């Protein structure tokens, strides 16, 4: 499984021979100006919730690629109604896709579209690939529900928001990584705007002091699991 960071909460995942884009917000992020969204490959677009900083480039990428948009029922229906391919899910449900199994799990946040359209309840995704399992938390507060995830899935990586203000901060993300029983963390949802700027070295050290590995990727950088 290969994971590429496209800035903010945007990810590319290569798994099982398929390309997945998660929460594409690239053209609206000046820090991601080096990423050409028209060159991105996608068989699926996973959307955690409907906020603008997670859906901005969904339609462009879906038009370019014919990707299937996977999200909660409200978001999937919204895009389905616009003629896009979509797969609706809801909290606690899993589906076996051709690249692996995806479960839509709880997040404590909100989820309206930028125009005010109801975007259902926000979530995160647990992805069980061929050899590796990951949890993408989406925008969320620390929540006890995270403790349910390792009861079913042994994680190889957890992707957590760490920017504070709209989501968890570093301290809560450390507790979240305990809750999901995974010491390998990719941080996201930081630095994009003033509200969520973080001190990288201090954040990495705080995780390190608890025996955990926080990775902060450059935009465009990838890791291989
Ligand atoms: Ni949000
Ligand atoms: Mn967000």
């Amino acid at each position: 499984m290969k994971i590429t960071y496209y800035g903010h909460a945007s990810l590319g995942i290569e798994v099982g021979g398929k390309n997945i884009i998660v929460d594409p917000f690239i053209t609206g992020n000046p820090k991601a100006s080096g990423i050409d969204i028209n060159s991105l490959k996608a068989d699926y677009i996973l959307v955690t919730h409907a906020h603008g900083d997670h859906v901005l480039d969904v339609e462009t990428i879906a038009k370019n690629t014919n990707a299937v948009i996977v999200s909660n029922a409200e978001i999937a229906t919204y895009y389905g109604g616009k003629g896009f391919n979509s797969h609706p899910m809801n909290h606690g449900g899993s589906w076996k896709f051709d690249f692996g199994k995806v479960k839509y799990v709880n997040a404590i946040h909100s989820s309206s579209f930028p125009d005010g359209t109801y975007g259902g309840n926000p979530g995160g995704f647990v992805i069980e690939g061929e050899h590796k399992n990951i949890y993408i938390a989406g925008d969320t507060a620390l929540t006890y529900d995270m403790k349910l995830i390792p009861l079913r899935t042994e994680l190889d990586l957890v992707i957590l928001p760490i920017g504070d203000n709209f989501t968890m901060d570093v301290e809560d993300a450390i507790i979240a990584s305990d809750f999901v029983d995974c010491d390998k963390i990719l941080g996201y949802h930081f630095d994009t705007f003033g509200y969520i700027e973080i001190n990288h070295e201090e954040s990495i050290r705080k995780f390190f002091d608890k025996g955990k590995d926080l990775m902060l990727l450059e935009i465009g950088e990838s890791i291989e699991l």
Side-chain angles (χ1 to χ4, degrees), residues 25-63:
F25 172 77
I26 296 163
T27 58
N29 180 3
K31 294 180 172 161
S33 59
I35 307 293
D36 172 18
I37 62 159
N38 294 315
S39 72
L40 295 181
K41 290 189 226 156
D43 299 292
Y44 298 91
I45 302 170
L46 269 53
V47 179
T48 61
H49 67 295
H51 285 162
D53 60 317
H54 298 255
V55 303
L56 182 72
D57 296 318
V58 167
E59 295 191 14
T60 305
I61 296 170
K63 260 181 215 147

Coordinates of all heavy atoms in Angstrom, one line a residue, residues 25-63:
F25 N -8.7 18.4 -1.7 CA -8.8 19.9 -1.5 C -7.4 20.3 -1.9 O -6.4 20.4 -1.1 CB -9.1 20.3 -0.1 CG -8.9 21.7 0.2 CD1 -9.9 22.6 -0.2 CD2 -7.8 22.2 0.9 CE1 -9.8 24.0 0.1 CE2 -7.7 23.6 1.2 CZ -8.7 24.5 0.8
I26 N -7.2 20.5 -3.2 CA -5.8 20.8 -3.7 C -5.8 22.1 -4.4 O -4.9 23.0 -4.1 CB -5.4 19.6 -4.7 CG1 -5.4 18.3 -3.9 CG2 -4.1 19.9 -5.4 CD1 -5.4 17.0 -4.7
T27 N -6.7 22.4 -5.3 CA -6.7 23.7 -6.1 C -6.9 24.9 -5.1 O -6.6 26.0 -5.5 CB -7.7 23.7 -7.2 OG1 -9.0 23.5 -6.7 CG2 -7.4 22.6 -8.3
G28 N -7.6 24.6 -4.0 CA -7.8 25.7 -3.0 C -6.7 25.9 -2.0 O -6.8 26.8 -1.1
N29 N -5.7 25.1 -2.1 CA -4.6 25.1 -1.1 C -3.3 25.6 -1.8 O -2.7 24.9 -2.6 CB -4.4 23.7 -0.6 CG -3.3 23.6 0.4 OD1 -2.7 24.7 0.8 ND2 -3.0 22.4 0.9
P30 N -2.9 26.9 -1.6 CA -1.8 27.4 -2.3 C -0.5 26.6 -2.0 O 0.4 26.5 -2.9 CB -1.6 28.8 -1.6 CG -2.9 29.1 -1.0 CD -3.6 27.8 -0.7
K31 N -0.5 25.9 -0.8 CA 0.7 25.1 -0.5 C 0.8 23.9 -1.4 O 1.9 23.2 -1.4 CB 0.7 24.7 1.0 CG 0.8 25.9 1.9 CD 0.8 25.6 3.3 CE 1.2 26.9 4.1 NZ 0.8 26.9 5.5
A32 N -0.3 23.5 -2.0 CA -0.3 22.3 -2.9 C -0.3 22.7 -4.4 O -0.7 21.9 -5.2 CB -1.6 21.5 -2.6
S33 N 0.2 23.9 -4.7 CA 0.2 24.3 -6.1 C 1.0 23.5 -7.0 O 0.9 23.5 -8.2 CB 0.6 25.8 -6.1 OG 1.9 25.9 -5.6
G34 N 1.9 22.7 -6.4 CA 2.8 21.8 -7.2 C 2.1 20.5 -7.7 O 2.6 19.8 -8.5
I35 N 0.8 20.3 -7.2 CA 0.1 19.1 -7.5 C -0.9 19.4 -8.7 O -1.7 20.4 -8.5 CB -0.7 18.6 -6.3 CG1 0.2 18.4 -5.1 CG2 -1.4 17.3 -6.7 CD1 1.2 17.3 -5.2
D36 N -0.8 18.7 -9.8 CA -1.7 18.9 -10.9 C -2.9 17.9 -10.8 O -2.7 16.7 -11.0 CB -0.9 18.7 -12.2 CG -1.8 18.7 -13.4 OD1 -3.0 19.2 -13.3 OD2 -1.4 18.1 -14.5
I37 N -4.0 18.4 -10.4 CA -5.1 17.5 -10.1 C -5.6 16.8 -11.4 O -6.1 15.7 -11.4 CB -6.4 18.1 -9.4 CG1 -7.0 19.2 -10.3 CG2 -6.1 18.6 -8.1 CD1 -8.5 19.4 -9.8
N38 N -5.3 17.4 -12.6 CA -5.7 16.7 -13.8 C -4.8 15.5 -14.2 O -5.2 14.7 -15.0 CB -5.7 17.7 -15.0 CG -6.8 18.8 -14.8 OD1 -7.9 18.4 -14.4 ND2 -6.4 20.0 -14.9
S39 N -3.7 15.4 -13.4 CA -2.9 14.2 -13.6 C -3.1 13.1 -12.6 O -2.5 12.0 -12.7 CB -1.4 14.6 -13.6 OG -1.0 14.9 -12.3
L40 N -4.1 13.3 -11.7 CA -4.3 12.3 -10.6 C -5.2 11.2 -11.2 O -6.2 11.5 -11.9 CB -5.0 13.0 -9.4 CG -4.2 14.0 -8.7 CD1 -5.0 14.5 -7.5 CD2 -2.9 13.5 -8.2
K41 N -4.8 10.0 -10.9 CA -5.6 8.8 -11.2 C -6.5 8.5 -10.1 O -6.1 8.5 -8.9 CB -4.7 7.6 -11.5 CG -3.8 7.8 -12.8 CD -3.1 6.4 -13.1 CE -1.7 6.7 -13.4 NZ -0.8 5.5 -13.2
A42 N -7.7 8.1 -10.4 CA -8.6 7.7 -9.3 C -9.6 6.7 -9.8 O -10.3 6.9 -10.8 CB -9.3 8.9 -8.7
D43 N -9.7 5.5 -9.1 CA -10.8 4.6 -9.4 C -11.9 4.9 -8.3 O -13.1 4.6 -8.6 CB -10.3 3.1 -9.2 CG -9.2 2.8 -10.2 OD1 -9.5 2.7 -11.4 OD2 -8.0 2.7 -9.8
Y44 N -11.5 5.4 -7.2 CA -12.4 5.7 -6.1 C -12.0 7.1 -5.5 O -10.9 7.4 -5.4 CB -12.4 4.7 -5.0 CG -12.9 3.3 -5.5 CD1 -11.9 2.4 -6.0 CD2 -14.2 2.9 -5.5 CE1 -12.3 1.2 -6.5 CE2 -14.6 1.7 -6.0 CZ -13.6 0.8 -6.5 OH -14.0 -0.4 -6.9
I45 N -13.1 7.8 -5.1 CA -12.8 9.0 -4.3 C -13.5 8.8 -2.9 O -14.8 8.7 -2.9 CB -13.3 10.3 -5.0 CG1 -12.6 10.5 -6.3 CG2 -13.0 11.5 -4.1 CD1 -13.2 11.6 -7.2
L46 N -12.8 8.8 -1.9 CA -13.4 8.6 -0.5 C -13.6 10.0 0.1 O -12.6 10.8 0.1 CB -12.5 7.7 0.4 CG -12.8 6.2 0.3 CD1 -12.8 5.6 -1.1 CD2 -11.8 5.5 1.2
V47 N -14.8 10.3 0.6 CA -15.1 11.6 1.2 C -15.6 11.4 2.6 O -16.6 10.7 2.9 CB -16.2 12.3 0.3 CG1 -16.5 13.6 1.0 CG2 -15.7 12.5 -1.1
T48 N -14.8 11.9 3.6 CA -15.2 11.7 5.0 C -16.4 12.6 5.4 O -17.2 12.1 6.2 CB -14.0 12.1 5.9 OG1 -13.6 13.5 5.7 CG2 -12.8 11.2 5.6
H49 N -16.4 13.8 4.9 CA -17.6 14.7 5.2 C -17.6 15.8 4.2 O -16.7 15.9 3.3 CB -17.5 15.2 6.6 CG -16.3 16.1 6.9 ND1 -15.0 15.7 6.9 CD2 -16.3 17.5 7.2 CE1 -14.2 16.7 7.2 NE2 -15.0 17.8 7.4
A50 N -18.6 16.7 4.2 CA -19.0 17.5 3.1 C -18.3 18.9 3.2 O -18.6 19.8 2.3 CB -20.5 17.7 3.0
H51 N -17.5 19.2 4.2 CA -16.9 20.5 4.2 C -16.0 20.8 3.0 O -15.4 20.0 2.4 CB -16.1 20.7 5.5 CG -16.9 20.8 6.8 ND1 -16.4 20.6 8.0 CD2 -18.2 21.1 6.9 CE1 -17.4 20.8 8.9 NE2 -18.5 21.1 8.2
G52 N -16.0 22.1 2.7 CA -15.3 22.6 1.5 C -13.9 22.1 1.4 O -13.3 21.9 0.3
D53 N -13.2 22.1 2.6 CA -11.8 21.8 2.6 C -11.6 20.2 2.5 O -10.5 19.7 2.7 CB -11.1 22.3 3.8 CG -11.7 21.8 5.1 OD1 -12.9 21.8 5.3 OD2 -10.9 21.5 6.0
H54 N -12.7 19.5 2.1 CA -12.6 18.1 1.9 C -13.2 17.7 0.6 O -13.0 16.6 0.1 CB -13.2 17.3 3.0 CG -12.5 17.6 4.3 ND1 -11.6 16.7 4.9 CD2 -12.5 18.7 5.1 CE1 -11.1 17.2 6.0 NE2 -11.6 18.4 6.2
V55 N -14.0 18.5 0.0 CA -14.7 18.2 -1.3 C -14.4 19.1 -2.4 O -14.9 18.8 -3.5 CB -16.3 18.1 -1.0 CG1 -16.7 17.2 0.1 CG2 -16.9 19.5 -0.8
L56 N -13.6 20.1 -2.3 CA -13.5 21.1 -3.3 C -13.2 20.5 -4.7 O -13.8 20.9 -5.7 CB -12.3 22.1 -3.0 CG -12.1 23.2 -4.0 CD1 -13.2 24.2 -3.9 CD2 -10.7 23.9 -3.8
D57 N -12.3 19.5 -4.8 CA -11.9 19.0 -6.1 C -12.5 17.6 -6.4 O -12.1 17.0 -7.4 CB -10.4 18.9 -6.2 CG -9.7 20.3 -6.1 OD1 -10.2 21.2 -6.7 OD2 -8.7 20.4 -5.3
V58 N -13.5 17.2 -5.7 CA -14.2 15.9 -5.9 C -14.8 15.9 -7.3 O -14.5 14.9 -8.1 CB -15.3 15.7 -4.9 CG1 -16.2 14.5 -5.3 CG2 -14.7 15.4 -3.5
E59 N -15.5 16.9 -7.7 CA -16.2 16.8 -9.0 C -15.2 16.9 -10.2 O -15.4 16.1 -11.2 CB -17.2 18.0 -9.1 CG -18.3 17.8 -8.1 CD -19.5 18.7 -8.3 OE1 -19.7 19.4 -9.4 OE2 -20.4 18.9 -7.4
T60 N -14.2 17.7 -10.1 CA -13.2 17.7 -11.2 C -12.5 16.4 -11.4 O -12.4 15.9 -12.5 CB -12.1 18.8 -10.9 OG1 -12.8 20.0 -10.6 CG2 -11.1 19.0 -12.0
I61 N -12.1 15.8 -10.3 CA -11.4 14.5 -10.3 C -12.4 13.4 -10.8 O -12.0 12.6 -11.6 CB -10.7 14.2 -9.0 CG1 -9.7 15.2 -8.7 CG2 -10.1 12.7 -9.0 CD1 -9.1 15.1 -7.3
A62 N -13.6 13.5 -10.3 CA -14.6 12.5 -10.7 C -14.9 12.6 -12.2 O -15.0 11.6 -12.9 CB -15.9 12.6 -9.9
K63 N -15.0 13.8 -12.7 CA -15.2 14.0 -14.2 C -14.0 13.5 -15.0 O -14.2 12.9 -16.0 CB -15.4 15.5 -14.5 CG -16.8 16.0 -14.6 CD -16.9 17.5 -14.9 CE -18.1 18.1 -14.2 NZ -18.0 19.4 -13.7

